Amino acid sequence: MTQTPFIITLDGPAGVGKTTLARCLAQRLGLAYLDTGAMFRCLALKLGSGAEKLPEAELRLQCARWIFRLNGSGEKTVLTCNDIPVGNEIRTEEVAMLASRIATVPLIRDMLREAQQSMGRCSSLVTEGRDMGTVVFPEARCKFFLDASPEVRALRRQRDLEKRGEKADLATLAALIRQRDHQDRNRAIAPLRPADDAHLVDTSSLEIEEVLAHLLEHVRHCGGPLPR
Ligand code: C5P
């Protein structure tokens, strides 16, 4: 008997720790991990600046050239674009801003939503983004919405960048985060907001391990898989 995939959604604003948490959660639960922000970032990089202004027919052709797939599970999950793993080249603030711009285009959201839903039909997932619980997987059995103050999020971003040997000014990071939040919360389609049935978690004063323990407990409560 085949079981219906168990979908766990994590939504929230930039820099809240979704990527780290989703990856850890997927590893503990032995599920595949889908970073939908990485799909928007990768597509933004492939299409280049100004893509959101292309005529629809042209944009459709351009987008159709890029096929996303998900392989493996836990920390070994790999997201590929045209069979090449999506790498760290997408992890810059410039690419994030480009992603946020193309994320306002209905055609792009539709195409990526279809790809995401088809991944969720094949396997159980921990998936993170902005509209996972509201639009892409409204039937998901376990939904989270993570939040933290913009100051805390900017500080976390700065630490991530420093770990990769990059320097960034805190005030500049906070301004970029506020601008991206504004764009993501106020766009006409699939704006960032918690699903009505999402479990809200403010991570401002919590360490990653504390949030993770809380998420695992809630997954158990929702009837999800038990940690390994
Ligand atoms: O999560 P991440 O910061 O990598 O996302 C980059 C951008 O992609 C976001 O600022 C947002 O505009 C867009 N995005 C989205 N919907 C998603 C995931 C990301 O609109 N599900």
Side-chain angles (χ1 to χ4, degrees):
M1 191 180 77
T2 49
Q3 279 185 330
T4 323
F6 194 93
I7 308 289
I8 301 169
T9 64
L10 271 82
D11 289 306
V16 78
K18 294 188 301 291
T19 305
T20 310
L21 284 163
R23 198 178 285 147
C24 290
L25 199 58
Q27 174 68 11
R28 293 293 303 278
L29 300 174
L31 303 183
Y33 152 67
L34 175 61
D35 175 354
T36 61
M39 296 172 79
F40 280 92
R41 285 171 183 255
C42 180
L43 195 59
L45 199 56
K46 301 287 187 201
L47 297 177
S49 148
E52 69 279 5
K53 297 190 203 110
L54 287 175
E56 192 173 311
E58 171 64 17
L59 190 58
R60 187 182 295 279
L61 277 179
Q62 296 266 343
C63 290
R65 293 170 53 211
W66 307 107
I67 309 292
F68 290 96
R69 288 205 179 85
L70 201 62
N71 298 306
S73 65
E75 276 169 6
K76 296 213 174 82
T77 310
V78 181
L79 173 69
T80 61
C81 177
N82 289 7
D83 296 326
I84 297 173
V86 174
N88 277 338
E89 68 281 0
I90 62 166
R91 302 280 164 212
T92 67
E93 290 306 310
E94 291 75 26
V95 176
M97 284 309 286
L98 284 182
S100 184
R101 249 178 258 144
I102 65 159
T104 60
V105 180
L107 170 72
I108 289 183
R109 297 209 73 87
D110 286 350
M111 293 183 92
L112 289 184
R113 191 194 65 239
E114 276 167 27
Q116 292 153 9
Q117 288 174 334
S118 101
M119 291 168 186
R121 273 192 291 276
C122 303
S123 70
S124 294
L125 290 179
V126 177
T127 176
E128 57 122 329
R130 302 291 186 289
D131 58 344
M132 294 299 101
T134 49
V135 175
V136 180
F137 297 109
E139 309 296 330
R141 282 184 275 165
C142 185
K143 301 181 184 179
F144 295 101
F145 189 89
L146 305 177
D147 214 345
S149 69
E151 293 73 24
V152 168
R153 290 186 279 132
L155 205 59
R156 286 180 186 161
R157 253 300 128 85
Q158 191 185 40
R159 269 193 238 135
D160 285 349
L161 290 169
E162 276 172 3
K163 271 190 216 150
R164 297 213 300 268
E166 296 168 38
K167 279 216 176 338
D169 172 59
L170 195 60
T172 310
L173 280 178
L176 284 171
I177 278 183
R178 281 206 175 83
Q179 190 185 343
R180 203 139 64 88
D181 277 1
H182 182 81
Q183 244 165 243
D184 290 345
R185 287 183 203 273
N186 294 291
R187 67 182 172 219
I189 46 164
L192 170 65
R193 68 167 184 83
D196 293 340
D197 51 351
H199 183 66
L200 308 183
V201 186
D202 189 326
T203 70
S204 300
S205 59
L206 299 174
E207 293 299 328
I208 277 290
E209 281 305 320
E210 292 174 291
V211 185
L212 189 60
H214 184 71
L215 300 190
L216 284 167
E217 176 54 30
H218 191 68
V219 172
R220 197 182 61 81
H221 175 78
C222 295
L226 297 176
R228 293 164 159 192

